[in-house]
Amino acid sequence: MSLVSRREFGHWAACAAGALSLSGCAPWEAAHPERDLSHLADQPPATPAEWRILNRLTFGPRRADLARLRRLGPDGWIDEQLRPATIAEADDLLAALAELETLNADPEEAHDRETDWETAEAIAPIWQYVSKVGKPGRIPRVGQVRHELAQATVLRATFSNRALQAVLVEFWTDHFCINDAHDQCRWLKSADDRHLRPLALGKFRDLLSASMHSPAMLCYLDNFENRRRDDATGAKPNENYARELLELHTLGDTSAYTIRDIQEVARILTGWSVGSGWGEPYGEFVFRPDEHDDGAKVVLGQTYPAGQGLRDGEQLLEQLANHPQTVAHLVKKLCARFVGVAPSSLHDRLAQTYRTSGGEISAVLAELFRSPEFRDGTEPLLKRPFHFAVSALRGLGANTSGAGIVTHLEAMGQRPFAWARPDGYPRDAESWAEGFLPRWNFALALVQNQIAETWIELESLDQFAQHRTPQQICRCLSERLLAKPLSETELASLARLNAPRSPDALQQQLALLLMSPQFQWS
Amino acid sequence: MPPDNPLPRATPESHSDRLILRPGAEPAGAVLVTIILRGGADGLYLFPAFGDPSFRALRGSLGEIEPSAQGMIDLDGYFGMHADLSRLQETYQSGHLAIVHGVGLSQPILSHFDATRAIEGGSFEPSPTDGWLGRHFASPNEANRAPLRAVAMGSSMPLVLQGANARLLGDLDDMRLEVPLGWEPEFTRLLARLYARGDDLAAVSGRGVLDTLAALKGIGAVPRTGPTTARYRHDRFGNQLRQVAQLIKAEVGLEGAVISLEGWDSHVQQMEKLAPLLQNFGASLSAFIVDLHDQLDRVTVVVLSEFGRRAAPNQAGGTDHGRAGAMLVLGGGIRGGQVYGRWPGLGEEQLDADGNLQVTTDYRSVLAEVLDRRVKSRSLGRVFPQFEPTYLGITG
């Protein structure tokens, strides 16, 4: 297997992508210090404490993350990550995102993009000149909106300087799970993601409000068809969203409320819908007073007076966001994400912080990341496929448009936004552990530069390998990629691939490190 | 209506098409295929109780069906089968399909996630760490040490099979390690070495994957398709069923397989939403029975869902979460062509306080009977602890 040169790759990518920006070089192709692997060994490998922070608070360390962590110190680095708005975003990420035409499309344009594709293919030559977004040469394709959102999610997780924000966005994406293959969610999820992202480290109340007003959520959990009781037939409001709002998004523990509470919440949410485009803004949140049940309600003992209309929902938002069960539910989930099994004393401390900070996620996380349970914890957490793939890209300084990665994530079972149930992708190791085969094939494809619009700089890796013995090479790679490096005997057997030096021994060694059991843990 | 999918006469495959039965790969009883309908399937919609005097008034638009070829298949003058399941009519009439009505969880659990934990965990433990099928397979079968003894189709391991040494299978056509030829055999040997010793979950699972790959070598020798009348749908569910049949025919020592079918949470526009799902489900399930027609004696399929749905539809033409639903048992060695269970009734005084069909059969009774009589499980006490099943006589 010969190495694919930059130039060959660029040419190939140009053919595959069909179009590049004017310079002839897509933004994600630009040179970048992170991609040059010849200096791989310049900084000492991460210590166990550094591994712990970088493996949990990012989707796997890049060399630049480790350098910055050392410059700022752990507390300074964490503090910076908790305030993402203060972190300048990487230019190459912004340029790569700018390539995605539908990422910032409003619901109407996104809808048109998704539904015009059949016509568009038929009139492709004309389309190139009259394209709605004015960019010649690109034809909308079915699934473009959701594919580009998944691509953007990979790009941000891989390249964003706001690494913790990307981790939290994934956390809330699971918490407020929406399957983007569901009906109108195909084009509405993109706007939902846009609203959720800047709130990921803010107040939970604001996140909850964004989700309750999210057209994608109202479609996914059927609330857009939730109307007050029909007196003629006796048919009742639709309970779907009300139930999941209590069970998944806020209170958690199903013994904390009854079906009466669910039905009362369903009444509160009658008339919360999505604009049809006919006298209503298409794909935006709308409140339909004539579909709303304006009678008095009681939820968990709290009275909602009659005649409040939309303000019922505001009262519900405050009641749920501040409910002790909600707080307990959230802190438990955050602990499970960053620590694993945590003692109830930690839950209690975090719940206290939630209350005193007015539900500020960054304050709760600051307390969590300071805690001895996090800093000194030893429980390994199995990387889910997304974390696995992105950590491989970050560890090897890979460059990518994200497109080919999404295909592999699908094979691994974790394409972003594709979980079919409203509870989000599972987090427990047992659910994922048996599914390593597509991970292994991803690693094999990655080290051979066989993933579309994705490559690692193998030439610079060769430079790194020069003047080093096979043992030194393997030890160095193992210490840079694995929090728990290979044993001496494992290193020795890996090093034998290099003697006599074979042209693709380095690729084989990289693949084996990414495929090793050690790389599956964070 | 004319059977659209008649069972073909047995056309024995030539012996060379089969893998040789591996020594030490002998299931004790029938292979159990468990299909979980995710989201809460409306048993009353699949198998309408049109003979119940309250049926039409209660079901509103969902009950506007007549026992005719177009709307519904009349099974016995009281229960029907939704017309979109018509491919299963022949399976039912040939005695290879039994239906259990009024079945579900003995406690009122209307949350997807709690109910799913219960039907997969096989108990009311709040945080189960294993499932009922996992506990069955946790006991080794001395006569079967095959790596593919128990499998789940898909990309994450369902709770029902956790607790056993079970494998996760993606599309069998993709189940190979894409190592460049020039790297072998050294590369796979090194990979196996990295996984050889560890006792953490990743290491143990990785060894399982390596075993699976070895076991699947040679599966290509088994015909991918059965009789041409076995018309599986070309969707995920159809492919998974076809591949389970392929594994059964390949005699790799398979004893249990789990398949999930998503999409049954019909809160809105139930008629439109469920039509394609029912058609695809019925078509592929009947194809599976046709495909394995000559070895049905060693195959049992059970179909279950976390709960049934509210008896009366809601304002959006859908149904909300309810209690009793329906289960299906298919294969050989059962007394099919009947609807089992005690019908709880749709009268106002018969439904529960929330308007749900009452549960008259605990789902574990059906599973226990199948596990005991068909699968020959010797660990029923552990599979369903603190539960005394009442067999319905489905297994004859």
Side-chain angles (χ1 to χ4, degrees):
Chain A
M1 170 76 206
S2 64
L3 306 188
V4 180
S5 77
R6 267 286 328 275
R7 201 175 51 76
E8 282 167 346
F9 179 85
H11 175 73
W12 175 85
C15 299
L20 293 174
S21 59
L22 289 175
S23 67
C25 173
W28 46 270
E29 281 194 296
H32 190 282
E34 192 70 29
R35 277 149 219 159
D36 179 357
L37 299 175
S38 59
H39 302 289
L40 195 64
D42 285 4
Q43 60 183 351
T47 64
E50 288 166 340
W51 267 112
R52 187 168 182 82
I53 291 171
L54 291 174
N55 250 345
R56 300 275 166 99
L57 273 58
T58 79
F59 285 113
R62 298 176 299 177
R63 279 176 295 149
D65 298 323
L66 181 58
R68 186 148 187 91
L69 175 66
R70 284 178 178 164
R71 194 151 62 244
L72 301 179
D75 296 330
W77 186 85
I78 290 171
D79 186 53
E80 180 177 80
Q81 286 294 321
L82 287 168
R83 294 177 289 112
T86 65
I87 304 173
E89 202 47 290
D91 288 340
D92 58 338
L93 171 65
L94 296 176
L97 292 174
E99 286 289 292
L100 305 174
E101 296 173 347
T102 63
L103 197 58
N104 294 307
D106 65 35
E108 188 159 10
E109 187 189 327
H111 166 267
D112 289 350
R113 281 260 152 191
E114 276 300 296
T115 48
D116 281 359
W117 65 278
E118 284 170 332
T119 335
E121 283 193 346
I123 57 159
I126 307 165
W127 180 270
Q128 292 185 1
Y129 293 97
V130 297
S131 163
K132 288 184 183 179
V133 288
K135 274 199 182 181
R138 288 215 178 177
I139 302 165
R141 52 185 198 270
V142 68
Q144 184 180 5
V145 177
R146 55 188 295 254
H147 192 79
E148 289 191 343
L149 178 61
Q151 228 177 312
T153 303
V154 172
L155 285 170
R156 289 182 174 121
T158 310
F159 301 121
S160 175
N161 292 335
R162 302 164 183 176
L164 178 63
Q165 186 189 45
V167 167
L168 263 295
V169 168
E170 190 209 43
F171 179 86
W172 296 119
T173 297
D174 279 322
H175 186 81
F176 296 109
C177 178
I178 293 170
N179 179 332
D180 75 351
H182 181 97
D183 288 348
Q184 302 186 68
C185 301
R186 282 181 291 142
W187 54 85
L188 293 178
K189 172 64 198 174
S190 209
D192 177 86
D193 186 76
R194 215 149 55 219
H195 290 129
L196 189 140
R197 181 168 300 276
L199 302 171
L201 283 151
K203 280 192 191 308
F204 177 73
R205 181 215 168 278
D206 296 340
L207 264 173
L208 181 62
S209 174
S211 179
M212 286 171 69
H213 292 85
S214 162
M217 180 59 80
L218 295 175
C219 280
Y220 180 50
L221 292 179
D222 301 326
N223 203 77
F224 73 117
E225 295 206 44
N226 181 18
R227 305 175 195 97
R228 69 187 157 86
R229 180 189 153 92
D230 181 335
D231 291 331
T233 63
K236 291 179 182 172
N238 183 334
E239 295 167 13
N240 195 15
Y241 179 49
R243 178 183 291 279
E244 307 309 3
L245 177 63
L246 297 185
E247 177 172 356
L248 297 177
H249 304 166
T250 58
L251 304 176
D253 181 355
T254 49
S255 64
Y257 53 89
T258 67
I259 188 163
R260 294 281 162 266
D261 292 310
I262 293 171
Q263 289 169 338
E264 292 290 272
V265 171
R267 290 179 60 213
I268 286 174
L269 295 170
T270 46
W272 286 50
S273 192
V274 179
S276 62
W278 302 96
E280 296 171 331
Y282 174 78
E284 305 285 352
F285 173 82
V286 292
F287 177 69
R288 295 178 181 150
D290 53 325
E291 292 185 357
H292 182 67
D293 178 339
D294 225 3
K297 296 123 191 152
V298 178
V299 176
L300 298 161
Q302 191 180 112
T303 303
Y304 289 65
Q308 289 200 114
L310 187 58
R311 278 178 295 125
D312 271 355
E314 301 305 318
Q315 186 181 342
L316 180 67
L317 182 61
E318 300 305 331
Q319 184 184 10
L320 292 178
N322 297 313
H323 197 286
Q325 286 292 146
T326 301
V327 182
H329 181 209
L330 290 176
V331 299
K332 206 171 158 192
K333 278 186 86 167
L334 286 168
C335 285
R337 169 61 182 82
F338 292 103
V339 176
V341 177
S344 59
S345 58
L346 179 61
H347 293 160
D348 295 344
R349 266 147 53 214
L350 298 182
Q352 177 65 29
T353 307
Y354 184 101
R355 282 189 294 272
T356 52
S357 68
E360 195 74 48
I361 305 299
S362 59
V364 175
L365 288 177
E367 178 76 27
L368 175 58
F369 298 151
R370 262 198 301 275
S371 71
E373 288 87 346
F374 174 75
R375 293 285 175 100
D376 309 331
T378 53
E379 183 186 341
L381 299 176
L382 192 79
K383 292 177 186 172
R384 303 193 298 179
F386 184 86
H387 189 166
F388 159 78
V390 173
S391 64
L393 296 171
R394 290 168 68 91
L396 298 185
N399 205 352
T400 183
S401 74
I405 307 301
V406 173
T407 313
H408 276 272
L409 287 170
E410 189 150 20
M412 291 184 243
Q414 203 187 6
R415 186 196 199 277
F417 321 112
W419 182 246
R421 299 165 218 161
D423 56 344
Y425 280 107
R427 197 162 283 292
D428 64 300
E430 284 75 13
S431 292
W432 295 108
E434 285 291 327
F436 284 177
L437 180 60
R439 295 190 188 206
W440 292 348
N441 282 331
F442 169 82
L444 283 162
L446 179 66
V447 302
Q448 298 177 81
N449 278 337
Q450 284 176 347
I451 301 176
E453 299 181 0
T454 301
W455 91 102
I456 53 178
E457 290 200 348
L458 292 169
E459 289 152 323
S460 67
L461 194 66
D462 268 345
Q463 288 167 23
F464 149 80
Q466 280 166 15
H467 316 300
R468 286 191 164 85
T469 66
Q471 285 78 6
Q472 288 171 329
I473 294 169
C474 290
R475 182 181 309 279
C476 182
L477 291 176
S478 163
E479 286 173 348
R480 262 73 183 178
L481 287 171
L482 305 178
K484 190 165 169 275
L486 298 187
S487 70
E488 292 301 323
T489 43
E490 287 168 329
L491 281 176
S493 60
L494 225 63
R496 275 199 291 279
L497 279 171
N498 246 343
R501 189 176 282 264
S502 80
D504 44 18
L506 272 171
Q507 286 163 286
Q508 297 192 43
Q509 286 155 343
L510 277 186
L512 285 163
L513 288 167
L514 300 180
M515 294 160 85
S516 69
Q518 290 88 335
F519 191 73
Q520 315 308 317
W521 296 104
S522 79
Chain B
M1 69 186 284
D4 110 322
N5 196 2
L7 286 175
R9 303 299 309 162
T11 47
E13 298 154 28
S14 72
H15 194 263
S16 62
D17 287 342
R18 297 267 185 90
L19 292 184
I20 308 297
L21 181 64
R22 286 156 206 244
E26 186 61 50
V31 181
L32 180 62
V33 180
T34 304
I35 298 172
I36 303 180
L37 307 182
R38 305 277 177 187
D42 188 353
L44 199 51
Y45 191 67
L46 272 64
F47 306 108
F50 66 88
D52 188 299
S54 305
F55 179 78
R56 262 177 200 76
L58 187 68
R59 291 291 277 178
S61 57
L62 296 181
E64 287 167 10
I65 41 177
E66 296 299 325
S68 70
Q70 280 75 39
M72 174 180 61
I73 299 149
D74 182 354
L75 294 180
D76 58 8
Y78 195 91
F79 294 107
M81 179 189 280
H82 196 287
D84 286 334
L85 292 174
S86 63
R87 290 272 294 274
L88 282 172
Q89 184 180 10
E90 170 68 16
T91 318
Y92 181 84
Q93 284 166 350
S94 65
H96 292 124
L97 164 61
I99 295 158
V100 187
H101 233 317
V103 66
L105 293 162
S106 59
Q107 291 182 17
I109 301 180
L110 272 64
S111 142
H112 288 299
F113 314 101
D114 290 354
T116 298
R117 267 190 289 277
I119 64 151
E120 292 196 52
S123 71
F124 294 105
E125 292 271 319
S127 314
T129 54
D130 56 14
W132 55 266
L133 200 53
R135 289 194 292 277
H136 163 71
F137 283 115
S139 335
N141 173 0
E142 296 305 330
N144 182 7
R145 300 182 176 282
L148 293 180
R149 188 174 167 225
V151 304
M153 307 301 282
S155 48
S156 59
M157 184 63 77
L159 173 64
V160 69
L161 203 45
Q162 289 180 19
N165 188 18
R167 304 276 86 86
L168 197 55
L169 296 185
D171 190 329
L172 291 187
D173 298 337
D174 298 335
M175 291 289 288
R176 59 180 175 273
L177 199 56
E178 309 276 4
V179 183
L181 277 180
W183 295 10
E184 292 289 41
E186 186 62 8
F187 186 88
T188 301
R189 209 178 52 74
L190 281 170
L191 179 64
R193 179 173 292 182
L194 291 179
Y195 278 88
R197 260 184 292 280
D199 55 5
D200 60 292
L201 186 65
V204 172
S205 301
R207 288 199 287 277
V209 176
L210 289 166
D211 288 347
T212 304
L213 291 173
L216 286 175
K217 277 191 184 146
I219 185 100
V222 176
R224 288 179 39 162
T225 49
T228 52
T229 43
R231 287 178 296 160
Y232 293 101
R233 290 288 162 104
H234 297 290
D235 55 12
R236 183 184 165 91
F237 177 68
N239 285 337
Q240 289 177 335
L241 266 178
R242 180 174 57 75
Q243 296 192 337
V244 168
Q246 198 182 351
L247 289 173
I248 292 171
K249 287 186 272 186
E251 298 182 346
V252 291
L254 186 74
E255 292 185 29
V258 178
I259 296 178
S260 294
L261 182 56
E262 308 279 348
W264 298 89
D265 197 19
S266 50
H267 285 276
V268 296
Q269 314 305 341
Q270 178 160 316
M271 273 197 273
E272 292 80 2
K273 298 247 158 142
L274 287 191
L277 195 54
L278 287 172
Q279 289 162 14
N280 293 337
F281 167 68
S284 292
L285 194 54
S286 76
F288 180 81
I289 298 297
V290 172
D291 194 1
L292 292 172
H293 63 95
D294 61 348
Q295 35 201 324
L296 279 181
D297 281 349
R298 61 186 196 97
V299 179
T300 302
V301 182
V302 291
V303 182
L304 72 165
S305 193
E306 67 255 38
F307 44 60
R309 306 192 73 87
R310 200 78 43 84
N314 64 24
Q315 255 282 49
T319 50
D320 291 308
H321 303 184
R323 293 211 49 206
M327 278 177 77
L328 287 73
V329 181
L330 300 96
I334 61 163
R335 296 196 306 174
Q338 292 180 58
V339 179
Y340 288 85
R342 187 168 66 73
W343 179 240
L346 293 170
E348 204 173 337
E349 70 293 348
Q350 292 168 312
L351 298 173
D352 77 6
D354 300 313
N356 295 314
L357 201 54
Q358 307 240 28
V359 172
T360 50
T361 299
D362 190 302
Y363 74 107
R364 291 172 292 186
S365 284
V366 180
L367 295 174
E369 181 180 346
V370 167
L371 280 168
D372 179 12
R373 302 267 184 82
R374 293 289 302 147
V375 180
K376 312 289 183 202
S377 178
R378 282 168 303 198
S379 39
L380 267 187
R382 252 170 303 150
V383 173
F384 297 119
Q386 285 120 42
F387 175 69
E388 285 297 324
T390 310
Y391 292 173
L392 300 178
I394 303 168
T395 52

